[in-house]
């Protein structure tokens, strides 16, 4: 089975089963495909953090407009949304339009998703390796650790995060970035601080053996 359109070629091996709806200019076609909206973060964010909305499950080859709305109102800079007190916790949707007069969508608008909630303080801090919380690792050479926060550093808006790293309970000089490369064996922890707020210590430590 091989379907060829103006922009798309779909080839189906004999072992697969495809249902192909051709949304052409001739005749009349109604598609039941419904777009799906997702957001790149579901955990709380700080005020003025920018998130990204994704509209998926759109018919292959569709090149018409995609409209994003928050609380029923078109957003200014789709698909980016800056979270503040007016839209936090509100519903977001995406919609598609008929590319031809002969094509209609029975469900052109996605089911809504809820935008992230706002927080004003760091909720938690963890020492991670490859985004995982571990108790102990054995590595042949230097290894990079990350001081991960919730909300994380991507969603801090206009705020500033600062970091301090410790090895065996003692502060490591000049280790003030979100990541630290461990060059020695020891037990590592970190603290994160939002602006002038009190520092928050990591809820875990990682024992590194080199």
């Amino acid at each position: 089975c091989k379907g060829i359109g103006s922009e798309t070629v779909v080839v189906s091996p004999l072992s697969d089963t495809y249902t192909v709806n051709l949304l052409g200019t001739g005749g009349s076609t109604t598609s039941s495909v419904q777009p799906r909206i997702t957001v790149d973060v579901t955990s709380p964010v700080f005020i003025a953090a920018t998130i990204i909305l994704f509209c998926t499950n759109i018919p292959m080859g569709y090149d018409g407009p995609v409209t994003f709305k928050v609380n029923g109102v078109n957003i200014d800079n789709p698909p980016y949304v800056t979270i503040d007190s007016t839209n936090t916790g509100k519903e977001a949707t995406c919609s598609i339009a008929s590319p031809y007069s002969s094509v209609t969508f029975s469900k052109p608008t996605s089911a809504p998703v809820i935008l992230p909630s706002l927080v004003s303080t760091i909720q938690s801090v963890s020492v991670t390796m490859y985004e995982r919380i571990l108790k102990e690792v054995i590595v042949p050479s230097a290894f990079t650790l990350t001081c991960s926060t919730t909300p994380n550093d991507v969603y801090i808006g206009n705020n500033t995060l600062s970091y301090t790293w410790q090895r065996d309970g003692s502060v490591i000089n000049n280790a003030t970035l979100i990541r630290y490369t461990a060059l020695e064996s020891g037990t590592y922890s970190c603290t994160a601080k939002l602006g002038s707020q009190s520092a928050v210590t990591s809820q875990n430590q990682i024992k590194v053996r080199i």
Side-chain angles (χ1 to χ4, degrees):
C1 172
K2 185 174 183 180
I4 303 177
S6 60
E7 299 179 4
T8 306
V9 176
V10 180
V11 179
S12 170
L14 293 177
S15 59
D16 293 342
T17 301
Y18 280 77
T19 299
V20 180
N21 293 321
L22 301 179
L23 304 181
T25 56
S28 178
T29 304
T30 299
S31 173
S32 61
V33 172
Q34 182 178 24
R36 183 180 301 115
I37 188 170
T38 56
V39 62
D40 67 335
V41 59
T42 56
S43 60
V45 299
F46 292 119
I47 192 167
T50 297
I51 65 171
I52 304 175
L53 301 176
F54 299 94
C55 196
T56 60
N57 201 41
I58 296 174
M60 184 180 296
Y62 175 80
D63 60 357
V66 177
T67 303
F68 292 90
K69 293 186 177 183
V70 173
N71 220 27
V73 179
N74 289 8
I75 64 176
D76 295 330
N77 187 31
Y80 302 96
V81 177
T82 300
I83 302 298
D84 57 28
S85 59
T86 66
N87 56 29
T88 178
K90 297 296 194 302
E91 292 185 344
T93 60
C94 67
S95 302
I96 54 179
S98 298
Y100 314 110
S101 60
S102 58
V103 176
T104 58
F105 294 107
S106 60
K107 299 178 180 179
T109 301
S110 68
V113 295
I114 303 300
L115 296 184
S117 58
L118 284 175
V119 293
S120 57
T121 60
I122 295 174
Q123 303 297 288
S124 64
V125 179
S126 302
V127 181
T128 60
M129 302 176 85
Y130 298 126
E131 300 183 353
R132 297 175 60 192
I133 296 178
L134 304 173
K135 291 184 178 180
E136 183 175 355
V137 293
I138 300 175
V139 291
S141 58
F143 209 86
T144 300
L145 307 171
T146 301
C147 192
S148 301
T149 61
T150 301
N152 71 34
D153 63 307
V154 177
Y155 304 106
I156 62 173
N158 297 327
N159 300 279
T160 300
L161 283 174
S162 57
Y163 306 90
T164 304
W165 285 90
Q166 300 87 30
R167 181 178 63 249
D168 297 331
S170 299
V171 174
I172 304 172
N173 292 333
N174 301 318
T176 58
L177 301 178
I178 186 173
R179 292 177 179 83
Y180 178 75
T181 300
L183 301 174
E184 303 176 45
S185 296
T187 300
Y188 290 84
S189 60
C190 69
T191 61
K193 184 178 180 182
L194 179 68
S196 60
Q197 295 182 10
S198 299
V200 180
T201 302
S202 57
Q203 60 189 7
N204 71 308
Q205 299 176 331
I206 291 183
K207 187 174 184 179
V208 178
R209 295 186 180 183
I210 299 177

